[in-house]
Amino acid sequence: MLKLFNSLAREKQDFVPIEPGKVRMYVCGMTVYDFCHLGHARVMVVFDMVTRWLRASRYAVTYVRNITDIDDKIIKRAAENGETIRALTDRFIAAMNEDAAALGVIKPDHEPRATEYVPQMLDMIGALEKNRYAYVAGNGDVCYHVRRFKGYGKLSGKSLEDLRAGERVDVMEGKQDPLDFVLWKHAKADEPAEARWASHWGEGRPGWHLECSAMSSQLLGRHFDIHGGGMDLQFPHHENEIAQSEGAHNEVSVNYWMHNGFVRVDEEKMSKSLGNFFTIREVLKKYDAEVVRFFILRAHYRSGLNYSDAHLDDARQSLARLYTALKDCKGVAVVDWQEAHAQRFRAAMDDDFGTPEAMAVLFDLAAEINRNADPTLVSQLKALGGVLGLLERESAQFLQAAPKSESGLNNADIEASIAARNAAKKAKNYAESDRIRDELKAAGVVLEDSAAGTTWRRA
């Protein structure tokens, strides 16, 4: 049985869906005012992996990942660029989709844009007002009355007293309590018309927290199975979502909360606010997209992930070992779940999506293939890799796309040079043969001649 770590319970729990055989999952997506960075890549890849494993486990999955296409940062960036909000967000949504596709991320079943669900957000504010959780502040904003919701803090483990002592929220004029947060932002005079919607409370736009509560309940129902996102969203965003959804509907909103760990650079969280981020497309200029996916999945989704070129270089070499074992694989591969390696793989994935242990199974398979070249194991390796969205290309396609050395030689270049050297030797042009050998050696490629032919390795 699948076990997953439920952030709400702070422990691993057996996964029991609300409706047998079906899973409804919502994941907080990107705010689209810039290119996605590796922190975003981790969210996309992790929950793509979760979706793939749930489907491999024969669950019918409905996966929703939202798009925030209206907020302060978006309005500010559009104004700086001299373009409309829609032009800005459309451009970065297209870029996000390109990045996700490169990383092998299957499109979610629904990708709601916040601006398309404002009526549902207004309905939720109305329900919260009726249940005495919402009020109009002195500046015209509609706010959530945090202290009225008895369960506030149950996800993050923070008490109201701790939050007040730590001054974790901004004090806004007209709030009844500094802890209260905005549900509806009253329109400002300098904001463009496309950032305004009519409402019972005057022109304005929704608060960020409200967007996810409205979209998830509209597309998945008021009570669904899994809600996911980055660990940085646990508080206040997800805590506020619980307060909104349960305050409006008077019932539990989500059974299992999942949070992936941070991507770090020099032990600091990668983020745009800190200025230490690498965009996905910057990284993909240097590394194959499947290497980046492998790098992300090699770590457990809840652990920290330390970014460096050295770690990505190691990931590239490790992935090449798996592809080398697949060099004789032909046709479509299907997992034999009764086979011993597959059973170990399943056990690892059923233990809170244990991709590090699952990948260890792949390397054990590769080692056995290298020893005895069993074609059934070759097929099993490719099929199990495919469950994680890996090893889906032809072996030669990946290996020939290996990075160039300092001299600019990739695998295909090296093989071509060896073929030219062999032709020179056959023609008894030993000077040319020696020149090619010396040229490869200078590029860090060592040739080894034997009766079986010439092999090579990078020094």
Side-chain angles (χ1 to χ4, degrees):
M1 170 179 263
L2 172 64
K3 290 180 180 290
L4 59 82
F5 186 88
N6 186 353
S7 300
L8 184 64
R10 298 170 184 76
E11 65 179 6
K12 286 184 190 177
Q13 296 180 328
D14 291 341
F15 176 66
V16 181
I18 297 167
E19 188 176 351
K22 296 183 178 180
V23 179
R24 287 171 287 153
M25 180 171 74
Y26 182 93
V27 173
C28 291
M30 272 51 78
T31 300
V32 285
Y33 66 98
D34 205 342
F35 293 113
C36 293
H37 58 61
L38 278 183
H40 300 134
R42 191 175 198 193
V43 174
M44 290 191 285
V45 170
V46 161
F47 288 99
D48 178 71
M49 172 273 294
V50 168
T51 302
R52 286 171 182 263
W53 182 246
L54 289 170
R55 287 174 175 157
S57 302
R58 299 185 180 277
Y59 286 109
V61 180
T62 303
Y63 175 24
V64 179
R65 189 186 69 220
N66 79 293
I67 297 170
T68 296
D69 62 344
I70 185 68
D71 86 337
D72 292 341
K73 293 176 181 177
I74 290 172
I75 294 170
K76 182 174 182 290
R77 182 62 59 84
E80 290 172 348
N81 292 353
E83 62 184 325
T84 66
I85 291 170
R86 184 70 187 216
L88 175 81
T89 56
D90 280 354
R91 181 156 48 86
F92 284 115
I93 288 170
M96 177 191 71
N97 289 335
E98 289 173 2
D99 292 341
L103 293 169
V105 173
I106 299 169
K107 285 184 72 66
D109 299 290
H110 302 279
E111 287 184 284
R113 296 173 62 136
T115 54
E116 297 171 349
Y117 286 79
V118 174
Q120 290 82 359
M121 296 171 200
L122 293 171
D123 287 344
M124 181 167 276
I125 297 173
L128 288 169
E129 189 175 56
K130 180 181 178 181
N131 292 343
R132 301 179 63 236
Y133 289 111
Y135 66 90
V136 179
N139 66 350
D141 289 355
V142 182
C143 293
Y144 188 97
H145 200 315
V146 166
R147 287 186 182 274
R148 287 192 184 277
F149 183 69
K150 301 303 181 186
Y152 196 83
K154 63 184 177 180
L155 177 64
S156 61
K158 300 177 185 297
S159 70
L160 294 177
E161 289 69 29
D162 290 341
L163 292 172
R164 285 299 302 271
E167 297 181 347
R168 293 296 305 274
V169 293
D170 295 328
V171 178
M172 182 192 79
E173 181 184 354
K175 278 186 180 181
Q176 294 181 9
D177 191 303
L179 295 178
D180 296 347
F181 59 88
V182 176
L183 298 167
W184 185 255
K185 294 190 174 187
H186 188 70
K188 297 180 177 64
D190 60 347
E191 289 179 340
E194 59 179 328
R196 300 165 178 254
W197 285 264
S199 81
H200 171 71
W201 304 276
E203 282 194 341
R205 57 189 167 84
W208 174 47
H209 308 303
L210 181 69
E211 296 174 358
C212 287
S213 287
M215 288 185 283
S216 63
S217 61
Q218 178 68 24
L219 292 167
L220 296 176
R222 296 178 174 183
H223 184 199
F224 56 94
D225 298 291
I226 299 173
H227 193 314
M231 192 177 294
D232 55 328
L233 299 182
Q234 189 173 27
F235 182 86
H237 184 54
H238 290 161
E239 195 74 73
N240 290 352
E241 278 193 65
I242 291 174
Q244 292 165 156
S245 299
E246 297 187 3
H249 302 141
N250 297 311
E251 63 178 294
V252 170
S253 58
V254 177
N255 283 0
Y256 303 90
W257 287 84
M258 293 180 64
H259 295 94
N260 66 270
F262 296 131
V263 177
R264 296 184 176 276
V265 179
D266 295 329
E267 299 307 318
E268 281 195 308
K269 182 175 78 77
M270 181 183 291
S271 71
K272 290 176 181 174
S273 61
L274 292 174
N276 67 343
F277 67 96
F278 297 87
T279 67
I280 296 171
R281 45 195 56 208
E282 283 174 334
V283 176
L284 295 187
K285 288 178 181 178
K286 188 171 183 180
Y287 293 96
D288 183 276
E290 189 175 356
V291 170
V292 178
R293 184 182 179 94
F294 180 92
F295 164 70
I296 292 170
L297 293 178
R298 187 166 59 174
H300 191 272
Y301 78 90
R302 287 192 287 117
S303 67
L305 183 65
N306 291 312
Y307 171 84
S308 72
D309 282 359
H311 287 142
L312 279 167
D313 288 339
D314 182 68
R316 180 168 55 198
Q317 293 171 10
S318 297
L319 188 57
R321 284 171 53 199
L322 297 179
Y323 266 113
T324 299
L326 290 176
K327 61 183 182 298
D328 296 323
C329 187
K330 305 295 181 186
V332 177
V334 179
V335 179
D336 174 8
W337 289 110
Q338 301 306 310
E339 190 266 338
H341 292 89
Q343 290 182 1
R344 285 174 51 209
F345 184 97
R346 180 181 289 282
M349 294 298 291
D350 277 347
D351 185 8
D352 194 30
F353 306 97
T355 54
E357 293 79 10
M359 284 194 175
V361 173
L362 301 185
F363 284 100
D364 287 348
L365 269 169
E368 287 198 33
I369 291 166
N370 290 336
R371 285 194 295 269
N372 59 37
D374 183 341
T376 61
L377 294 183
V378 173
S379 177
Q380 192 76 315
L381 172 59
K382 186 172 182 64
L384 288 174
V387 172
L388 298 176
L390 299 168
L391 306 180
E392 295 183 317
R393 288 182 280 180
E394 293 295 325
S395 176
Q397 184 183 3
F398 176 83
L399 295 174
Q400 289 174 5
K404 293 180 179 292
S405 67
E406 291 182 1
S407 68
L409 298 177
N410 60 24
N411 290 8
D413 296 330
I414 294 167
E415 295 291 351
S417 294
I418 291 172
R421 177 174 176 265
N422 289 340
K425 287 171 66 178
K426 189 175 181 179
K428 296 184 179 181
N429 185 351
Y430 299 115
E432 176 65 7
S433 170
D434 290 344
R435 186 195 66 77
I436 294 173
R437 173 187 280 276
D438 291 343
E439 184 180 77
L440 289 173
K441 184 177 180 180
V445 179
V446 177
L447 302 185
E448 296 176 354
D449 295 320
S450 69
T454 302
T455 59
W456 64 271
R457 60 181 174 80
R458 295 188 188 271

